[in-house]
Amino acid sequence: MYANDFNGEIVINTESQVVEFIRNRPAFNANQFIFTFEESGVPQLCAFVRDDYCVLYFLDSEQKGTFASYGDDNIRDETVTFYENVHGAEVVLASTMVITVKQMTDACTEFFKTKTRPTCIKWMEL
């Protein structure tokens, strides 16, 4: 699997490498991860992580759609700020999309195993 984050791209060959990779938070206690298997970039699982907050996006072929994680909405604020790079470029996302680090870890490892949209979390179609 191809994996990209604030530090660049690597190839991941095992589930334990996935878990280790997504623990990395090099700036602002945050990171953005992109996982794919194909040169075309789809299917693709993207993760924004800051502190204990995570938001996932799943990009499938054009016919199958684009999805965002759907959390339990236990956050008081309507939005959560994440970072797109080590320079502090921000992206503001709806708190309804926020999931836990454990849920993100489970979803990333499921994507590694199945190469399909993870079923261990709730999704909303965009």
Side-chain angles (χ1 to χ4, degrees):
M1 176 167 75
Y2 300 108
N4 197 318
D5 73 351
F6 286 176
N7 295 320
E9 185 174 303
I10 68 166
V11 174
I12 291 179
N13 296 306
T14 66
E15 188 175 329
S16 63
Q17 288 176 324
V18 173
V19 173
E20 185 62 32
F21 184 74
I22 59 179
R23 287 185 183 148
N24 189 23
R25 310 281 194 283
F28 317 105
N29 197 30
N31 209 336
Q32 177 190 13
F33 305 106
I34 301 170
F35 300 103
T36 190
F37 294 91
E38 305 294 333
E39 293 294 328
S40 66
V42 291
Q44 182 181 99
L45 183 68
C46 304
F48 287 97
V49 183
R50 192 191 97 223
D51 301 324
D52 296 326
Y53 299 130
C54 307
V55 170
L56 295 180
Y57 287 96
F58 182 80
L59 309 170
D60 211 334
S61 65
E62 291 181 27
Q63 296 82 11
K64 295 184 182 177
T66 302
F67 302 84
S69 53
Y70 185 78
D72 294 330
D73 196 19
N74 55 2
I75 301 169
R76 294 176 190 232
D77 298 329
E78 290 184 14
T79 61
V80 177
T81 301
F82 292 91
Y83 298 96
E84 293 181 308
N85 58 42
V86 294
H87 305 294
E90 296 180 345
V91 59
V92 178
L93 301 173
S95 63
T96 56
M97 297 189 302
V98 172
I99 61 173
T100 67
V101 171
K102 175 159 182 4
Q103 288 173 305
M104 177 200 66
T105 301
D106 292 346
C108 290
T109 56
E110 183 179 336
F111 179 66
F112 174 77
K113 291 188 266 187
T114 66
K115 300 181 182 181
T116 60
R117 180 166 41 110
T119 59
C120 62
I121 65 169
K122 296 176 188 173
W123 295 96
M124 66 175 111
E125 190 165 5
L126 300 177

